[in-house]
């Protein structure tokens, strides 16, 4: 990057004034390389920046989470067009200030379709689906992008039925609409429906994109449809889609989930361009198949290749540490590597603490928790939820806030009795507290996923599938207990945790005890 004087010397002046196209070019070059501070200083030297330059800077401030700079500039603008208003609304949304975004939107003198779509999309993505829904139906003109935003918003918040009703009302759903619905059904535990929808899309003549194929491969992985997954693989090879890292990574995951880890490994090594997503898929795949040492070896190879792991990579590597059942040399080295790379990674500390706890090393647990407090690291609380009739019900461990708490706990007591009849004994290693065995058993009995399953049994018709989601990895004891519960109640129970879908039927789970 040239220093500022060198940049200025390249400018052509006319009548003592710098031309806006020249300033535009400089700002573009700086912002393209994310040199936001330099761009900020250059912009301050422009005598009379026009609306386009101001809007460009507002967008740059927004992308770098400098909301105060964005608003200061917006307030100083003598003239504002629709693009500048839309940019400041998006800046508020990107920074998570939904109330301010709505306030600015309400103050906007003339709203165009982009304005409406921006606010609807931002609110829907942020979880404020009701507010987005209200604005969506107030829109004077709803373009396809607005419809797609609402469909995605419904799906990401568990309201897949509402998404489908909206999808059916669309005059001409495009490939983005279809892909959003396919992904939405899969993410909400209806992978079989997602695959049927893909068949309908194909039959309707809509050409799938790489994103569509990736979503369908993910659905194949979740319902363990290796036949369709393999067919898609052949089609993708012929169509030349394997050069797309998103698609190839989804294929690696699909084969791993379907217990064909060697195929995953082969695909990974055949792929010339390996990014953090493809490395993470392979590491996760090894873990899903119980090959934890291989997973940790790949993690260290990834670091040696200069690829910076992301949160998912760290979680997969640490899950494999847990899978080793002891803090041996490899697990220790991995934990230390993660601390060196990302010293404020909460997942690393929590999982390390859990490893110590499962080994009964309570002094090490205490020291780890002290380190967390000293560094200001807060553990993400585990919770489970179940969505019924478009209403979401959340549970945490030992939760007694639900209106049906009395019935839920009574159901759990009945299930506990039945589990004992079947010879089930709770695995107290997963009660990660230094208490006596009786207290450990009580803690395990009321984990969030068990509460959600009990509520699901009470609130759904006999024979129907129960679908529960959890934000963290499912507890090993809960996995074993819920698997047995599926046999006791003769129901399929689908549990989606942070690693994968677990389809439990007649006392067995699709994960094959590797997750």
């Amino acid at each position: 990057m040239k220093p500022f004087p060198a940049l200025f010397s390249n400018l052509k002046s006319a009548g003592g004034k710098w031309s806006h196209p020249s300033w535009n070019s400089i700002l573009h070059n700086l912002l393209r390389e994310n040199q936001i501070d330099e761009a900020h200083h250059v912009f301050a030297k422009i005598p009379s920046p026009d609306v386009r330059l101001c809007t460009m800077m507002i967008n740059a401030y927004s992308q770098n989470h400098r909301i105060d700079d964005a608003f200061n500039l917006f307030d100083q603008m003598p003239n504002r067009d629709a693009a500048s208003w839309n940019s400041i609304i998006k800046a508020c949304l990107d920074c998570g200030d939904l109330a301010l975004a709505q306030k600015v939107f309400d103050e906007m003198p003339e709203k165009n379709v982009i304005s409406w779509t921006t606010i609807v999309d931002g609110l829907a993505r942020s979880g404020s689906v009701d507010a987005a829904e209200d604005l969506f139906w107030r829109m004077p003109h709803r373009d396809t992008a607005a419809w797609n935003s609402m469909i995605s918003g419904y799906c990401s918040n568990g309201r897949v039925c509402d998404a489908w009703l909206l999808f059916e009302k669309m005059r001409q759903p495009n490939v983005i609409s279809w892909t959003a619905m396919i992904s939405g059904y899969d993410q909400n535990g209806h992978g079989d429906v997602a695959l049927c929808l893909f068949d309908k899309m194909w039959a309707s003549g809509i050409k799938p994109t790489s994103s569509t194929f990736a979503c369908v491969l993910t659905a194949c992985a979740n319902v363990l449809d290796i036949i369709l997954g393999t067919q898609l693989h052949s089609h993708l090879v012929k169509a030349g889609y394997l050069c797309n890292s998103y698609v190839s990574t989804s294929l690696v995951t699909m084969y791993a989930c379907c217990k064909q880890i060697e195929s995953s490994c082969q695909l990974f090594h055949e792929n010339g361009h390996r990014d953090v997503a493809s490395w993470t898929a392979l590491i996760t795949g090894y873990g899903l198949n119980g090959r934890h040492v291989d997973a940790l070896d790949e993690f260290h190879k990834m670091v040696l290749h200069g690829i910076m792991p992301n949160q998912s990579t760290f979680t997969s590597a640490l899950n494999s540490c847990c899978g080793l059942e002891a803090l041996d040399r490899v697990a220790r080295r991995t934990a230390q590597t993660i601390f060196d790379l990302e010293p404020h990674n909460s997942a690393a500390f929590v999982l390390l603490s859990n490893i110590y706890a499962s080994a009964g090393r309570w002094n090490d647990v205490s020291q780890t928790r002290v380190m967390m407090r000293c560094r200001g690291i807060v553990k993400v609380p585990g919770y489970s939820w179940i969505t019924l009739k478009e209403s979401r019900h959340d549970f945490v461990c030992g939760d007694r806030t639900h209106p049906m708490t009395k019935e839920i706990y009574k159901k759990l007591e009945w299930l506990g009795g039945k589990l004992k009849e079947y010879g089930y004994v709770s695995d107290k290693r997963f009660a990660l507290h230094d208490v006596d065995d009786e207290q450990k058993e009580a803690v395990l009995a009321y984990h969030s996923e068990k509460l959600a399953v009990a509520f699901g049994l009470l609130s759904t018709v006999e024979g129907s599938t129960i679908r529960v989601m959890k934000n963290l990895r499912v507890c090993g004891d809960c996995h074993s207990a819920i698997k047995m519960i599926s046999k006791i109640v003769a129901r399929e129970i689908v549990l989606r945790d942070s690693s994968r879908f677990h389809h439990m039927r007649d006392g067995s789970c699709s994960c094959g005890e590797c997750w």
Side-chain angles (χ1 to χ4, degrees):
M1 177 61 65
K2 294 181 180 179
F4 291 143
L7 285 171
F8 295 152
S9 67
N10 291 335
L11 290 174
K12 302 294 183 182
S13 60
K17 295 182 179 180
W18 305 116
S19 64
H20 281 303
S22 299
W23 290 116
N24 196 321
S25 177
I26 290 179
L27 283 176
H28 266 299
N29 289 333
L30 290 171
L31 295 176
R32 188 182 299 116
E33 298 184 21
N34 202 32
Q35 302 288 327
I36 183 65
D37 290 326
E38 289 82 353
H40 176 82
H41 291 306
V42 168
F43 182 79
K45 296 178 181 295
I46 302 177
S48 300
D50 61 17
V51 174
R52 290 182 63 188
L53 287 179
C54 290
T55 302
M56 187 192 306
M57 282 306 299
I58 289 173
N59 288 330
Y61 288 138
S62 170
Q63 291 165 9
N64 287 271
H65 304 288
R66 292 170 60 161
I67 188 68
D68 290 339
D69 286 331
F71 259 99
N72 287 338
L73 175 54
F74 183 76
D75 290 338
Q76 293 169 15
M77 291 175 66
N79 299 304
R80 302 165 182 162
D81 60 7
S84 57
W85 278 93
N86 293 338
S87 292
I88 199 67
I89 291 170
K90 189 175 185 302
C92 297
L93 293 168
D94 289 345
C95 292
D97 197 332
L98 307 185
L100 184 58
Q102 285 193 273
K103 181 176 181 295
V104 174
F105 176 78
D106 291 337
E107 293 173 355
M108 187 174 180
E110 294 182 12
K111 306 172 180 65
N112 58 20
V113 67
I114 296 176
S115 316
W116 285 93
T117 303
T118 298
I119 189 72
V120 167
D121 182 68
L123 292 172
R125 288 180 185 275
S126 302
S128 297
V129 186
D130 290 338
E133 184 180 52
D134 176 63
L135 286 172
F136 176 78
W137 291 115
R138 284 168 47 196
M139 288 181 71
H141 171 68
R142 290 180 284 274
D143 63 359
T144 304
W147 286 83
N148 291 341
S149 293
M150 276 310 304
I151 288 171
S152 297
Y154 280 138
C155 289
S156 61
N157 286 273
R159 295 172 59 176
V160 70
C161 290
D162 283 338
W164 177 248
L165 290 173
L166 197 62
F167 177 83
E168 286 192 309
K169 290 178 181 177
M170 291 185 72
R171 290 184 178 178
Q172 289 184 317
N174 61 13
V175 65
I176 298 174
S177 319
W178 284 92
T179 303
M181 280 307 316
I182 291 168
S183 176
Y185 272 119
D186 179 54
Q187 289 173 1
N188 286 278
H190 300 277
D192 50 348
V193 180
L195 295 181
C196 289
L197 195 58
F198 175 67
D199 286 339
K200 289 183 179 179
M201 172 186 169
W202 195 282
S204 69
I206 301 291
K207 186 178 179 181
T209 64
S210 57
S211 296
T212 314
F213 282 121
C215 290
V216 175
L217 287 168
T218 301
C220 288
N222 288 330
V223 300
L224 308 180
D225 192 338
I226 186 63
I227 295 175
L228 177 58
T230 305
Q231 291 173 347
L232 284 173
H233 185 180
S234 298
H235 174 82
L236 293 168
V237 170
K238 294 175 184 176
Y241 272 105
L242 285 192
C243 59
N244 183 289
S245 61
Y246 191 23
V247 172
S248 59
T249 298
S250 298
L251 266 174
V252 169
T253 300
M254 186 275 294
Y255 279 119
C257 287
C258 293
K259 299 296 185 291
Q260 296 197 14
I261 187 61
E262 296 304 333
S263 296
S264 294
C265 188
Q266 182 180 346
L267 268 169
F268 174 80
H269 288 294
E270 288 175 352
N271 185 5
H273 175 69
R274 298 173 200 157
D275 57 12
V276 63
S278 58
W279 278 97
T280 302
L282 183 64
I283 293 166
T284 304
Y286 274 127
L288 291 174
N289 285 269
R291 292 173 56 173
H292 302 298
V293 173
D294 287 329
L296 297 181
D297 283 344
E298 290 297 336
F299 174 78
H300 289 289
K301 287 179 186 176
M302 174 184 179
V303 175
L304 288 173
H305 277 78
I307 306 295
M308 181 63 183
N310 60 21
Q311 185 73 20
S312 297
T313 323
F314 288 132
T315 301
S316 295
L318 283 163
N319 280 342
S320 283
C321 290
C322 293
L324 291 172
E325 298 276 324
L327 199 63
D328 65 5
R329 186 181 58 82
V330 180
R332 241 183 229 280
R333 186 161 61 99
T334 303
Q336 189 57 54
T337 300
I338 291 174
F339 291 141
D340 292 341
L341 289 170
E342 197 168 320
H344 296 284
N345 185 297
S346 62
F349 280 96
V350 171
L351 282 168
L352 182 62
S353 175
N354 291 350
I355 292 169
Y356 283 133
S358 63
R361 296 169 57 171
W362 300 111
N363 287 336
D364 290 324
V365 171
S366 298
Q367 290 178 12
T368 304
R369 290 175 179 170
V370 168
M371 288 172 63
M372 290 177 68
R373 284 197 295 271
C374 290
R375 299 189 187 193
I377 297 171
V378 180
K379 176 183 176 181
V380 176
Y383 64 94
S384 300
W385 69 95
I386 184 169
T387 303
L388 297 175
K389 298 178 181 178
E390 307 307 323
S391 180
R392 175 168 154 167
H393 302 261
D394 291 3
F395 299 91
V396 296
C397 182
D399 201 335
R400 291 185 178 271
T401 61
H402 195 276
M404 290 179 62
T405 290
K406 186 176 179 181
E407 295 91 335
I408 291 170
Y409 275 73
K410 187 175 179 181
K411 188 69 172 180
L412 282 177
E413 288 177 16
W414 178 84
L415 287 170
K418 286 293 183 182
L419 284 168
K420 287 179 181 177
E421 287 179 18
Y422 276 72
Y424 179 78
V425 179
S426 60
D427 192 339
K428 299 178 182 63
R429 291 175 304 164
F430 294 98
L432 303 175
H433 301 277
D434 190 11
V435 296
D436 61 41
D437 284 354
E438 187 176 342
Q439 287 176 295
K440 286 182 178 180
E441 192 168 341
V443 170
L444 289 170
Y446 305 121
H447 273 190
S448 65
E449 48 267 65
K450 287 181 180 138
L451 292 168
V453 167
F455 171 72
L457 290 171
L458 289 167
S459 307
T460 56
V461 297
E462 264 190 64
S464 63
T465 299
I466 296 170
R467 303 176 191 275
V468 172
M469 315 288 272
K470 185 175 182 180
N471 68 324
L472 303 178
R473 188 167 178 256
V474 61
C475 153
D477 177 71
C478 287
H479 184 268
S480 299
I482 295 171
K483 191 173 59 172
M484 187 62 70
I485 289 170
S486 72
K487 184 174 184 177
I488 293 169
V489 299
R491 306 270 290 270
E492 179 185 15
I493 301 174
V494 179
L495 174 60
R496 176 62 157 120
D497 68 1
S498 60
S499 296
R500 65 173 298 161
F501 277 94
H502 300 268
H503 295 261
M504 302 176 183
R505 303 183 188 92
D506 196 31
S508 298
C509 180
S510 60
C511 74
E513 304 310 311
C514 298
W515 77 97

